Amino acid sequence: MSADLSDLYQQVILDHNKRPRNRGKLPTANRVAHGDNPSCGDQCSVYLRLDAGAPGQPERIAEISFDGSGCAISQASASLMTTQVKGKTAPEVEAMFQNFHHIVTTGETPEEISDLAAFAGVHSFPARIKCATLGWHATLNALHGEATPATTEKHTD
Amino acid sequence: MSLPWKNVRADFPILHQQVHGKPLVYLDSAATAQKPRTVIDALVHYYERDNSNVHRGLHALSMRATDAYEGARTRVAKFINAADPAEIIFTRGTTEGINLVARSYAATLKPGDVILCTEMEHHSNLVPWQQAAKASGATLRYVPVLGADAEGGLDLAALDTLLTPHVKVFAFTHISNTLGTINPAAELCRRARAVGAVSVIDGAQSIGHGPFDVRALGADFVAFSGHKMCGPTGIGVLYGRRALLDALAPDETGGGMVVSVTYEEAKWKPSPERFEAGTPNIADAIALGAACDYLDALGRDQIAQHDRHLAALAREKLSAIPDIRIIGPRAGGERSGLVSFAFADVHAHDVVTFADEDGIALRGGHHCNQPLMRKLGLTGTTRASFYLYNTEEEIDLLVASLRRIVKFFGGS
């Protein structure tokens, strides 16, 4: 197996693909968004509960889950994302996505240790960037309360 | 095998390259076929020697270009045994041909009329009919596909109830691009005609893969693409029976398709000019003629035999891989030159990415067959499609690659 390919399919990614975290519908969700990738048929729905905890506090993701179907990259990325964004506010998630986007498009990993760095290998496979970002787009749409499905075709990735 | 087959790979310059350090194994001909040297040469020759606009030209180059372009039309007519070259309309491809027929018929259909398709249609022979149904108020119905893996082909018994005199158009694929199923096109055309419906065949997957005789099939319309039969992209053909074409309104209007024009109105030329407004795709049409020559010289019966032999062999060898689900006709059943399969735990796009590292070009996804995928409970399949330049050794390379992929994902 080539170095590029083993970089793409890191152990973390294979693990999340095989044993996805937070998979399924969330009955308590107050935000839902669906993402799809029309060119390859990948789908990802994100369910989350935004909760301020106490009056005057910013809303944070109290619970999150996803379901859908797609390649190992899209499913593992969505799974890993749910573990990373829990407890975060919308601006914090946006900042995390900017970091993640930078990782998958450049292959550069941030100095702080993060499981998201497992996706650095994606940058050698430009066609797969949209797989890695699908779940993130759905989550951002859910946070912004957009009712329309997220589609990777609209984003510049 | 006859002599030309010995050197057939040598005719295709593109095959002699390495991908990721491995010899290219091109198993994606159902998406687009590779081009032999003669087809590439025809393009170069045209642009270097004869390039000029066709028709209406009185200078030498224009006459040469016109002769070559109309010669290609005659050549294609012979390739599919059409009665008259005027029955050959050059299009951009299968999709444009079907759209032309669908839009034209949409104007004549009315509520109560039925358009009949099948559940195995490519989006290109499905969405245009949805649009025609919406525009006209006609009803769109589908002939079901039988079997959990679509192994049973079309439900021909259901045709008895579906094919009523209300059906005005019966549009179906000759060979499924996803399943590899070969439909009984002649029988379907005959049954359509018996109730007064016109038949529209999507010939994209069959045209370059064996004999194709529109008159023996009894087809009213056939659409196909040049690039799937070793010709260039951007050129295709809509065949229509002359009587039907002459009754069909043009889809696009403009120069080249009119007899006379005043500031108030215009009169249409007969087919094929009526349907070819503007400067046509001259170079690619001429090269399509060269592709016809190439396939006929090899022998289209032999091509069919070769493709189907490889697909049957691939089906047999692939079925020994653990947890593989092969869709389409069963072992021993008639199958065209492609095999579609899925793994329970490995997504098609991961399969394609891994195989690519081994230099093997496959296609993964829904193959523009989303409703069929949904019916079969699949999100996509991986497809290996074979053509005249593929070999048995390439199947062994495919099987070895797939075994590595299954082991990699299974072992994680």
Side-chain angles (χ1 to χ4, degrees):
Chain A
M1 195 160 90
S2 77
D4 276 352
L5 203 56
S6 50
D7 280 352
L8 179 64
Y9 292 98
Q10 296 262 329
Q11 204 54 46
V12 173
I13 295 177
L14 293 173
D15 177 55
H16 275 271
N17 177 49
K18 204 158 192 186
R19 284 173 287 276
R21 323 294 198 267
N22 305 309
R23 190 180 178 91
K25 288 188 171 59
L26 186 65
T28 55
N30 53 16
R31 297 290 176 88
V32 179
H34 178 71
D36 63 34
N37 182 346
S39 59
C40 56
D42 287 357
Q43 306 218 354
C44 181
S45 293
V46 167
Y47 310 85
L48 57 87
R49 183 166 65 82
L50 271 182
D51 196 335
Q57 294 297 306
E59 284 190 320
R60 292 177 184 278
I61 297 177
E63 292 178 279
I64 182 166
S65 73
F66 82 101
D67 65 12
S69 61
C71 64
I73 305 302
S74 73
Q75 299 304 295
S77 177
S79 167
L80 183 61
M81 174 201 65
T82 61
T83 68
Q84 304 279 308
V85 300
K86 208 167 169 181
K88 300 287 195 278
T89 64
E92 285 169 346
V93 174
E94 279 163 26
M96 291 174 81
F97 175 65
Q98 289 311 317
N99 284 337
F100 181 70
H101 192 263
H102 185 75
I103 291 170
V104 297
T105 52
T106 65
E108 293 166 12
T109 52
E111 283 178 17
E112 66 269 27
I113 296 162
S114 163
D115 276 354
L116 296 179
F119 286 87
V122 172
H123 93 281
S124 304
F125 297 83
R128 309 301 292 276
I129 291 171
K130 60 183 187 289
C131 309
T133 55
L134 179 63
W136 286 92
H137 286 306
T139 296
L140 291 172
N141 274 8
L143 285 171
H144 297 144
E146 291 174 20
T148 50
T151 165
T152 52
E153 303 291 286
K154 285 184 199 156
H155 296 275
T156 51
D157 292 311
Chain B
M1 286 192 182
S2 68
L3 196 62
W5 281 93
K6 273 189 174 171
N7 299 317
V8 72
R9 287 181 66 83
D11 295 339
F12 292 81
I14 203 169
L15 296 178
H16 309 283
Q17 65 173 299
Q18 300 221 321
V19 170
H20 302 301
K22 309 273 174 57
L24 168 64
V25 175
Y26 187 77
L27 301 182
D28 198 19
S29 295
T32 197
Q34 298 303 350
K35 322 303 174 199
R37 172 61 74 191
T38 52
V39 168
I40 299 167
D41 286 348
L43 287 169
V44 172
H45 178 88
Y46 171 74
Y47 282 122
E48 288 186 348
R49 298 280 308 160
D50 301 335
N51 179 50
S52 182
N53 212 331
V54 292
H55 307 142
R56 301 176 302 283
L58 297 175
H59 59 78
L61 265 57
S62 180
M63 283 187 272
R64 288 213 297 262
T66 303
D67 286 349
Y69 180 68
E70 291 306 324
R73 194 190 306 280
T74 305
R75 183 68 190 87
V76 171
K78 189 178 156 214
F79 192 74
I80 61 172
N81 196 30
D84 180 349
E87 296 178 320
I88 305 299
I89 300 161
F90 284 122
T91 63
R92 278 186 291 124
T94 309
T95 301
E96 187 182 4
I98 294 169
N99 271 278
L100 196 160
V101 179
R103 274 200 296 265
S104 297
Y105 273 90
T108 68
L109 294 170
K110 57 187 189 307
D113 289 343
V114 173
I115 302 166
L116 190 60
C117 280
T118 84
E119 285 183 344
M120 63 169 80
E121 296 312 311
H122 186 283
H123 294 165
S124 64
N125 198 29
L126 194 160
V127 182
W129 298 113
Q130 284 179 345
Q131 296 301 107
K134 280 178 188 157
S136 64
T139 306
L140 179 56
R141 294 217 170 93
Y142 298 95
V143 182
V145 171
L146 293 172
D149 295 322
E151 70 277 12
L154 291 178
D155 185 350
L156 293 178
L159 262 188
D160 293 337
T161 48
L162 284 168
L163 208 48
T164 68
H166 293 291
V167 176
K168 301 302 174 201
V169 178
F170 183 17
F172 59 87
T173 189
H174 194 182
I175 290 176
S176 160
N177 70 307
T178 301
L179 305 171
T181 309
I182 303 167
N183 286 322
E187 181 188 347
L188 299 182
C189 289
R190 183 177 52 73
R191 293 181 65 172
R193 191 165 295 177
V195 297
V198 295
S199 53
V200 182
I201 299 180
D202 171 355
Q205 293 297 332
S206 56
I207 186 67
H209 290 263
F212 199 107
D213 182 331
V214 290
R215 281 187 281 176
L217 288 173
D220 290 322
F221 293 97
V222 180
F224 59 89
S225 302
H227 71 95
K228 292 195 203 283
M229 52 172 281
C230 297
T233 54
I235 189 78
V237 168
L238 174 66
Y239 160 83
R241 277 201 300 124
R242 187 70 197 260
L244 293 170
L245 286 178
D246 286 343
L248 219 58
D251 193 42
E252 282 190 331
T253 54
M257 52 80 70
V258 284
V259 179
S260 65
V261 183
T262 66
Y263 282 116
E264 288 75 32
E265 60 180 8
K267 283 185 183 151
W268 318 137
K269 280 185 184 169
S271 179
E273 287 88 352
R274 178 200 298 235
F275 302 101
E276 293 182 3
T279 296
N281 186 350
I282 307 161
D284 292 324
I286 293 167
L288 179 60
C292 294
D293 288 341
Y294 183 79
L295 296 177
D296 274 336
L298 270 184
R300 287 155 77 191
D301 278 317
Q302 278 179 281
I303 294 169
Q305 223 179 339
H306 178 79
D307 294 351
R308 289 175 198 191
H309 165 70
L310 288 183
L313 187 68
R315 197 202 184 286
E316 184 193 323
K317 292 194 170 187
L318 290 172
S319 62
I321 297 174
D323 297 326
I324 198 168
R325 175 182 170 191
I326 297 176
I327 67 165
R330 287 269 153 85
E334 199 182 31
R335 161 188 287 283
S336 75
L338 65 90
V339 182
S340 231
F341 51 91
F343 297 105
D345 296 322
V346 193
H347 191 270
H349 291 142
D350 298 312
V351 174
V352 173
T353 297
F354 264 75
D356 182 55
E357 286 287 310
D358 288 333
I360 302 171
L362 297 172
R363 191 148 294 254
H366 52 61
H367 311 293
C368 291
N369 258 168
Q370 287 180 15
L372 179 64
M373 289 290 137
R374 220 164 282 131
K375 176 179 166 126
L376 299 178
L378 291 162
T379 55
T381 69
T382 305
R383 182 184 71 190
S385 53
F386 305 99
Y387 206 11
L388 46 91
Y389 34 69
N390 291 119
T391 65
E392 292 185 3
E393 291 70 34
E394 289 179 316
I395 294 172
D396 292 333
L397 291 170
L398 170 68
V399 171
S401 182
L402 291 177
R403 283 189 183 280
R404 281 195 292 276
I405 294 164
V406 169
K407 197 174 162 202
F408 178 83
F409 280 94
S412 61

